[in-house]
Amino acid sequence: MSGAAGPSGDVAIVGGGLAGITTALALQETGVRATIYEARPRLGGATHSFSRGGLTVDNGQHIFLKCCAAYRGLLARLGALDRVRVQDRFDVRVLTPDGPGGRLRRAGAPGPLHLLPALAGYRLLSPADRLRAVRASLALDRLDPDDPALDGRTMGGWLAGRGQRRQARDALWDLFVTAALNIRLDDAALGPAAMVCQTALLRRPDAADIGVPAIPLGDLHGTLAAARIERAGGRIELGAKVTAIDAGPKLVVNGSPVAADAVVVAVPHRAASSLVPAEASPGRASWDGLGSSPIVNIHVVYDRPVLDEPFVAAIGSPVQWVFDRTRVSGLTGGGQYLAVSVSAADRWIDTPTAELRAVYLAALERLFPAARRARVTDFFVTRERHATFRQSPGSGALRPASATRLPWLFLAGAWTDTGWPDTMEGAVRSGLTAARLVRRHLREKTTDEVSGR
């Protein structure tokens, strides 16, 4: 969005997650006033923090990759590029509960050659499986993720047809696809899975370099975002529940009507399907078909360090990815706070905490020998039952565009048709698209008013 003077108007944004925040900031940069109406007492949507026992805890571990240009652009808007840490080079240690693990580290060669040394030295695959993985990667790079036919197939089935045996799928492909799409490889739609692999792994050599927040998400996406929006003249109404959107346009907020020149609905698809007027999106009932996929985060505080890296991955274990949260949480006194991120967590979402404790503490001890000698000072679980929509075959056809049949009403959110899976990057891209369409609508509205139409 350029900083040039643009059309004027009052824009109501329903929802204060990343999509709504991005929409507001992008509009304000062009001189358009925006008000965010958020039902919760905070901004940030699915990315937020809370306090527990003197620690600042994120509801879940969120990461981004260097290829996430829109999200990094949001960080720049917030003046927060120095509040995240990004790898100098993609480098992930992969642990197993039995025997030595492996390591995936990119080279400095152009893509996709940058991954060849990593695969060549990946001890968790046999030499034959490494060669098959290279061949599958080249075939995957030739797919068109926008081909509707790919939306009807699974990534796991496609890989099996390319000679990828179970060990290769578990130790390589599932490691990344499950984390990126929040769905298991055998259930993931081929289109978005291919898009993720192409964009992050097979094109730019630095695309997959991993970034993690260096401050709590509540500060990054909440406090900083609120300050930036209000400093630019925007308004944030917290505890403001929107229950209806009518022609006018007009919203009903906490039971009272509020007028606007344009409205952006930036809430999850489950809420949007009942809030958006039928005349705006006649197919809105189909959005419920997107379903949801859960994420469970296991939080463990030890009395001493047990992990000497910022994060690791694991296979052959209920543990998937483990992050050192000690510094960002404010833990002092020599202990260590680890967060285990479990994607596609249908199996665990309703499991009692006591059972999760027994399973995951034992699993962590198998991965980290130092954990066997450490004392657990705290253990708790956070559950995101509707963390993402379910990115299974057929889901792509259900994702709506930002524009609706009402010229003043727009959709935003990672569940809309962004070209990306349901991620922070997708949410930010949806906000940028909504802001562009709102600005065009206001410009056309101003032109019509001036010309008397």
Side-chain angles (χ1 to χ4, degrees):
M1 303 292 255
S2 71
S8 61
D10 290 308
V11 178
I13 301 170
V14 185
L18 290 180
I21 290 167
T22 301
T23 304
L25 289 171
L27 286 172
Q28 288 175 189
E29 288 177 1
T30 61
V32 177
R33 296 185 300 273
T35 301
I36 292 179
Y37 297 95
E38 170 56 57
R40 287 167 288 198
R42 55 169 176 79
L43 294 183
T47 64
H48 60 93
S49 307
F50 61 92
S51 297
R52 178 187 171 97
L55 303 181
T56 302
V57 178
D58 287 347
N59 67 310
Q61 178 65 52
H62 288 73
I63 69 168
F64 63 96
L65 305 180
K66 196 173 286 185
C67 62
C68 296
Y71 178 72
R72 292 192 293 115
L74 173 62
L75 294 177
R77 281 184 165 92
L78 298 177
L81 287 173
D82 61 342
R83 309 296 180 93
V84 298
R85 294 189 297 269
V86 183
Q87 289 180 314
D88 294 329
R89 178 175 295 188
F90 173 79
D91 187 359
V92 176
R93 186 156 68 102
V94 184
L95 306 180
T96 66
D98 303 303
R103 196 162 204 125
L104 290 167
R105 187 173 190 268
R106 73 170 175 87
L113 300 178
H114 64 294
L115 289 180
L116 291 181
L119 286 175
Y122 192 40
R123 294 184 298 179
L124 297 179
L125 296 184
S126 68
D129 279 335
R130 296 172 203 170
L131 180 59
R132 293 188 190 99
V134 171
R135 291 173 177 166
S137 297
L138 296 175
L140 188 66
D141 199 31
R142 292 192 293 269
L143 295 179
D144 177 7
D146 295 326
D147 182 351
L150 271 60
D151 186 43
R153 304 177 60 186
T154 66
M155 180 67 164
W158 185 89
L159 287 170
R162 297 305 182 280
Q164 300 301 286
R165 300 187 302 173
R166 174 56 61 184
Q167 174 64 14
R169 282 181 278 165
D170 289 346
L172 180 64
W173 300 103
D174 204 38
L175 192 67
F176 298 105
V177 171
T178 297
L181 299 185
N182 192 27
I183 189 170
R184 287 292 184 181
L185 195 69
D186 288 338
D187 300 320
L190 177 56
M195 181 270 169
V196 164
C197 292
Q198 289 176 1
T199 304
L201 300 175
L202 301 176
R203 302 288 169 84
R204 273 179 39 194
D206 65 346
D209 297 352
I210 297 174
V212 295
I215 62 174
L217 292 173
D219 294 336
L220 187 64
H221 299 154
T223 305
L224 289 178
R228 180 69 181 87
I229 290 169
E230 291 175 338
R231 189 166 60 246
R235 293 174 53 222
I236 299 171
E237 299 289 342
L238 300 177
K241 185 173 180 58
V242 176
T243 55
I245 300 173
D246 301 315
K250 180 180 65 178
L251 297 82
V252 178
V253 184
N254 290 342
S256 300
V258 176
D261 294 298
V263 178
V264 177
V265 176
V267 297
H269 65 88
R270 300 175 304 281
S273 63
S274 60
L275 189 59
V276 171
E279 61 268 29
S281 297
R284 62 181 185 165
S286 67
W287 301 345
D288 289 343
L290 289 170
S292 62
S293 188
I295 293 177
V296 168
N297 282 269
I298 310 294
H299 306 261
V300 187
V301 182
Y302 293 98
D303 67 346
R304 69 194 70 183
V306 302
L307 171 65
D308 58 3
E309 299 189 50
F311 53 82
V312 294
I315 64 169
S317 168
V319 173
Q320 295 175 8
W321 289 79
V322 185
F323 297 84
D324 181 359
R325 301 281 305 168
T326 307
R327 183 176 178 182
V328 69
S329 71
L331 178 65
T332 58
Q336 187 173 41
Y337 164 23
L338 301 183
V340 181
S341 182
V342 184
S343 300
D346 302 82
R347 175 185 175 186
W348 305 109
I349 189 65
D350 292 315
T351 302
T353 297
E355 184 178 338
L356 290 173
R357 180 184 178 111
V359 169
Y360 277 90
L361 288 185
L364 289 169
E365 288 183 3
R366 294 187 68 186
L367 295 173
F368 308 129
R372 302 165 195 167
R373 302 183 297 273
R375 180 171 62 90
V376 175
T377 61
D378 198 6
F379 180 97
F380 56 101
V381 179
T382 53
R383 309 169 197 253
E384 296 293 334
R385 187 173 297 274
H386 305 292
T388 66
F389 72 85
R390 193 167 183 83
Q391 297 170 97
S392 55
S395 61
L398 300 178
R399 301 175 71 179
S402 180
T404 72
R405 294 191 181 184
L406 293 177
W408 46 265
L409 182 62
F410 307 91
L411 305 176
W415 60 279
T416 61
D417 187 9
T418 66
W420 276 69
D422 190 340
T423 57
M424 294 194 299
E425 175 73 5
V428 173
R429 286 175 177 258
S430 77
L432 294 174
T433 297
R436 175 175 55 81
L437 294 175
V438 166
R439 189 165 180 260
R440 184 176 68 183
H441 164 69
L442 294 178
R443 184 187 303 114
E444 292 172 350
K445 180 173 180 287
T446 300
T447 300
D448 291 343
E449 290 173 350
V450 170
S451 61
R453 290 202 293 264

